[in-house]
Amino acid sequence: MTAVRVKDRDGSEQTLDAAETTPLMETLRDDGYGIEGTCGGAMSCGTCHVYVSEAWAAKLPPPSEDEKAMLEAISDFAEVRPTSRLSCQILPDIIYDGLEVEIAPQA
Ligand code: FES
């Protein structure tokens, strides 16, 4: 398992165990963080938006053009930061033990 530090929308913080075989979006969705993931990871809904900590933002692989396009699309109704990511794109092949994320507000 992989430990992920999560700051929830109410400001509370927890450490959760993320399976090493699923995208982070699925763990956050299944653990009740209000992540809908309605497109199932196809980068077409933006409901899996998280803010990665500054320290971790540089460690993750950069977002793809499709991920950047989705983040741009949601910027009309959500605060998108330089560290914004789609948690469906934080994939299990990325070593992210100790990752810190904040759940973005619902749009
Ligand atoms: S689950 Fe839809 S964009 Fe990530």
Side-chain angles (χ1 to χ4, degrees):
M1 297 298 267
T2 300
V4 178
R5 188 79 180 154
V6 181
K7 185 174 183 181
D8 209 344
R9 291 185 176 119
D10 65 4
S12 64
E13 296 187 32
Q14 304 87 33
T15 299
L16 59 87
D17 289 328
E20 294 170 348
T21 55
T22 56
L24 182 60
M25 174 275 285
E26 293 183 19
T27 300
L28 296 174
R29 180 195 61 199
D30 296 348
D31 282 11
Y33 284 95
I35 293 286
E36 296 176 27
T38 51
C39 75
M43 292 182 279
S44 61
C45 73
T47 62
C48 64
H49 180 202
V50 296
Y51 305 122
V52 175
S53 72
E54 294 279 342
W56 269 91
K59 295 180 187 175
L60 297 179
S64 66
E65 291 305 312
D66 286 344
E67 182 177 356
K68 285 186 209 173
M70 189 67 245
L71 289 168
E72 174 67 26
I74 65 172
S75 68
D76 288 341
F77 49 87
E79 179 188 355
V80 174
R81 301 175 185 169
T83 61
S84 286
R85 297 299 300 261
L86 299 177
S87 59
C88 65
Q89 300 307 301
I90 300 177
L91 302 172
D93 60 338
I94 299 170
I95 306 297
Y96 56 79
D97 189 36
L99 177 67
E100 300 163 326
V101 300
E102 176 181 349
I103 308 296
Q106 277 185 311

